Every structure is written in C-alpha cells, then in structure tokens.
C-alpha cells in the first residue's frame, strides 16, 4: 500500500483511492461461491437501529447443566439465532451483532441512511419528550418516596409518644405505691412507740 511522507512528518499517509479499490476487490471476492460461480448481487438495505433491547443479564448468576445432547442455543453464553452461533461473553456478543456478518445475514449493509433536517428535528423532539417524561417520572417517584418517609416519621413519632406516656404512667404509679408504703410504715412506727395522733395539750374546762 502506497503512502507519502512530508519532510518533517513521519506519520503514514494512506492512498484513499487504492484503499477503496482493495475494499471493492474484497467485496467482489466475497460474492464468489464454490466452483468459481459468481453469486448474483443482492441489494442490501441501509443500516437501521435496533427497536429492541439486547438481553445481556437474564443468565447472570444462573447455573445450568450442559451435556452432549444439549441444543446449541442452550449451551451457555449468548446465542445468535440469525447466524446460528454461540458467543461466550457479552462484549464479544455486542461486537458480533454490530458486525458485518450479522448485519448481512439480516439483509442490511453497513451503510447508514443520510438523515434529512426534518428527521433530525423530529429525533430531537422525540428525545426531548422522553427526557421530560423521565424527569416527570423521577419527580413523581421522589415525591412518593418523600410522602412515604413523612408517613413513617409520623408513625415513629406517635409510637415514641405512646412509649413516653406509658413510661410516665408507670413511673407515676410506682411513685404513688412508694408513697403509700412510706405512710403505712410511718403509722406503724408511731403505733409501736406508743404515740397517738398529735393533739393539743390544753384540756377543755
């Protein structure tokens, strides 16, 4: 492959035309099958974004037994039903479904449709609407959490109040009982010592 170097620039300069010719040659070779018979050229659709979420977590933490008779789709890892293959980890699986072979099996090329100004504006509006809905949902969830926390705080205060009043009543009952015992003991001491109730020493005339 040809490349040019400036006088003070040691980086490689690629020949774009030659690179495109090599790419076209490789594509032509890929179209040929066995016995040298060319495959009729099929027009592939432009690359499209996925309208579904890729499942990467459903098998995390799960254990499965694999035998010789286990179907390929259940042999662990991530199974691609388009290419009929199993990829062992999520990173390589994402690389696979975004790769050329998988896209071609889906009937799509690696070229992306050029968006018009109206399409870009509509996309911005859709994303803006999604963002506003997400903010609204997050706000409603946060308000709900605050209300639940407030209710829990009220219940906690009520329980603490009940517990305080209960301890206070028990303390008052205990104090009354102690005072009653004290007065009973005082009267017994007076009786034992032969004293009667205090009265005036003056006798009536």
């Amino acid at each position: 492959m040809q490349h040019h170097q400036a006088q003070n620039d040691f980086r490689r300069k690629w020949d774009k035309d030659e690179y495109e010719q090599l790419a076209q040659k490789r594509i032509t070779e890929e179209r040929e099958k066995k016995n040298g018979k060319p495959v009729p050229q099929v027009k592939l659709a432009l690359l499209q974004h996925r309208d579904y979420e890729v499942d990467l977590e459903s098998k995390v933490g799960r254990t499965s037994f694999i035998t010789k008779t286990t179907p390929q789709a259940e042999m662990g890892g991530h199974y691609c039903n388009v290419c009929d293959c199993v990829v062992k980890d999520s990173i390589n699986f994402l690389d696979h479904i975004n790769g050329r072979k998988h896209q071609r099996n889906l009937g799509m090329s690696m070229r992306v449709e050029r968006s018009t100004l109206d399409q870009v504006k509509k996309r911005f509006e859709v994303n803006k609407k999604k963002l506003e809905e997400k903010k609204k949902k997050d706000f409603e969830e946060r308000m709900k959490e605050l209300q639940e926390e407030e209710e829990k705080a009220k219940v906690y205060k009520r329980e603490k109040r009940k517990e305080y009043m209960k301890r206070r009543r028990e303390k008052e009952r205990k104090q009354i009982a102690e005072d009653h015992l004290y007065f009973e003991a005082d009267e017994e001491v007076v009786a034992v010592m032969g004293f009667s109730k205090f009265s005036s020493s003056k006798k009536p005339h």
Side-chain angles (χ1 to χ4, degrees):
M1 185 172 292
Q2 297 178 356
H3 64 276
H4 305 283
Q5 292 182 351
Q7 186 174 1
N8 297 324
D9 188 0
F10 296 96
R11 291 180 299 179
R12 304 179 75 179
K13 304 293 183 182
W14 301 99
D15 190 331
K16 184 177 179 181
D17 294 335
E18 183 180 357
Y19 190 82
E20 289 181 353
Q21 290 176 3
L22 290 174
Q24 189 63 37
K25 181 180 178 182
R26 180 172 56 80
I27 292 172
T28 303
E29 291 174 353
E30 288 179 357
R31 292 190 185 129
E32 295 180 356
K33 288 281 188 177
K34 294 179 180 179
N35 302 325
K37 294 181 180 179
V39 178
Q41 185 175 358
V42 178
K43 186 177 181 180
L44 300 175
L46 295 173
L47 194 64
Q48 300 175 3
H49 69 277
R50 286 187 293 271
D51 56 357
Y52 62 92
E53 293 185 3
V54 181
D55 179 19
L56 299 176
E57 299 179 356
S58 62
K59 295 184 179 180
V60 174
R62 295 179 59 183
T63 303
S64 59
F65 294 96
I66 299 174
T67 64
K68 293 181 179 180
T69 58
T70 303
Q72 187 177 8
E74 301 175 6
M75 282 191 171
H78 301 276
Y79 176 72
C80 176
N81 56 354
V82 177
C83 305
D84 190 27
C85 65
V86 176
V87 184
K88 295 300 181 181
D89 59 84
S90 59
I91 296 176
N92 286 327
F93 182 66
L94 288 174
D95 289 340
H96 168 75
I97 62 178
N98 291 328
R100 183 183 298 275
K101 179 182 177 182
H102 181 83
Q103 297 301 328
R104 284 197 173 184
N105 288 339
L106 287 174
M108 290 188 288
S109 67
M110 298 303 290
R111 294 184 179 183
V112 182
E113 180 183 5
R114 187 176 181 86
S115 300
T116 63
L117 181 60
D118 291 336
Q119 289 175 330
V120 174
K121 287 181 178 180
K122 288 180 181 179
R123 190 65 181 175
F124 274 121
E125 290 176 359
V126 171
N127 291 337
K128 184 179 179 181
K129 187 176 181 181
K130 287 183 179 179
L131 183 61
E132 289 175 352
E133 290 177 353
K134 184 177 183 301
K135 286 182 178 180
K136 183 180 179 181
K137 185 178 180 181
D138 293 342
F139 176 76
E140 291 175 351
E141 290 179 353
R142 181 57 182 161
M143 289 301 296
K144 185 177 179 180
E145 290 176 359
L146 289 174
Q147 290 176 356
E148 291 176 354
E149 290 176 1
E150 187 176 354
E151 289 296 326
K152 289 180 181 178
K154 289 180 179 179
V155 172
Y156 176 76
K157 287 181 180 180
R158 285 197 296 267
E159 294 297 328
K160 295 298 288 185
R161 179 68 179 172
K162 289 180 181 179
E163 186 178 348
Y164 169 76
M165 295 302 295
K166 183 179 179 181
R167 288 200 306 266
R168 184 175 177 179
R169 286 193 296 269
E170 290 177 355
K171 186 176 181 181
E172 289 176 352
R173 283 196 297 267
K174 186 177 180 181
Q175 186 65 41
I176 292 171
E178 290 177 353
D179 292 344
H180 182 69
L181 291 174
Y182 173 76
F183 286 121
E184 285 182 352
D186 190 33
E187 290 178 357
E188 290 177 359
V189 170
V190 171
V192 169
M193 296 184 68
F195 295 102
S196 61
K197 293 182 179 180
F198 292 99
S199 60
S200 176
S201 60
K202 294 181 181 181
K203 295 181 179 180
H205 296 287

